[in-house]
Amino acid sequence: MNYREWTFQDILKIAALEKECFSDPWTYRMFADAFYSKGFYGVLAEEDGEIAGYACASVLFENAELDNIAVAEGYRRQGIASALLHRAEEEARALGAVRFLLEVRVSNAPAMKLYLDRGFRGLYARPRYYPDGEDALVMQKSLCPEGEGEQGER
């Protein structure tokens, strides 16, 4: 599996995979807008020219937010999502973020397990966050090196 940063030319394939994976997918335009925004980072996994998965995050000052992550059905349960998330976390840390945030559907147990396994913890719920009315769980992970706590965090 090859991991690399996105190029603009990848967005069409990423948007197609997004549509396969989610009931309320981001559009091509949403990905293109994100790609050109300040603090954007996108990483993808590919094999033989086929995109197996992708992740994108935005970094603004000390906060990073996972915008999106998905793995094609035939590539799931192979550690790809964890590897993508790890790369996004490392880039966020390099850009100065000290915490990483994300939202996940409360019904998405596999994603929650991934995030818990990667050190995220639940903060609070966002009622009716998704277009279909489902709640989201907001999760956070500290990106500070061990022994260096975040100010104001307990």
Side-chain angles (χ1 to χ4, degrees):
M1 192 65 56
N2 178 47
Y3 294 89
R4 65 173 175 81
E5 287 188 42
W6 297 10
T7 65
F8 188 82
Q9 290 73 23
D10 295 318
I11 296 175
L12 192 59
K13 289 182 180 179
I14 288 167
L17 179 54
E18 170 86 357
K19 197 171 183 179
E20 291 174 21
C21 293
F22 297 107
S23 60
D24 57 336
W26 277 28
T27 64
Y28 174 87
R29 176 68 185 258
M30 292 166 78
F31 281 115
D33 288 347
F35 182 82
Y36 284 116
S37 66
K38 185 177 179 180
F40 171 85
Y41 176 73
V43 60
L44 59 80
E46 66 181 349
E47 191 168 74
D48 299 324
E50 180 180 346
I51 296 177
Y54 61 87
C56 58
S58 300
V59 178
L60 185 61
F61 304 112
E62 71 277 357
N63 291 321
E65 184 163 348
L66 182 67
D67 297 322
N68 225 320
I69 187 168
V71 174
E73 191 169 346
Y75 291 97
R76 293 182 185 159
R77 304 193 59 80
Q78 298 177 29
I80 295 170
S82 184
L84 290 166
L85 187 54
H86 173 75
R87 283 165 172 78
E89 291 169 12
E90 290 299 308
E91 183 65 16
R93 186 179 288 113
L95 292 172
V98 297
R99 72 185 63 82
F100 207 107
L101 297 149
L102 60 84
E103 293 97 5
V104 60
R105 284 179 177 272
V106 295
S107 65
N108 193 343
M112 280 192 213
K113 181 178 181 338
L114 166 69
Y115 302 139
L116 290 169
D117 289 349
R118 294 254 352 124
F120 285 82
R121 61 183 176 86
L123 292 179
Y124 55 88
R126 285 195 171 142
R128 297 174 301 285
Y129 179 76
Y130 293 99
D132 64 2
E134 185 172 358
D135 296 349
L137 176 63
V138 176
M139 301 182 82
Q140 175 180 287
K141 176 181 181 176
S142 172
L143 297 178
C144 294
E146 290 297 318
E148 293 182 27
E150 296 176 38
Q151 288 186 351
E153 294 274 318
R154 293 182 192 231

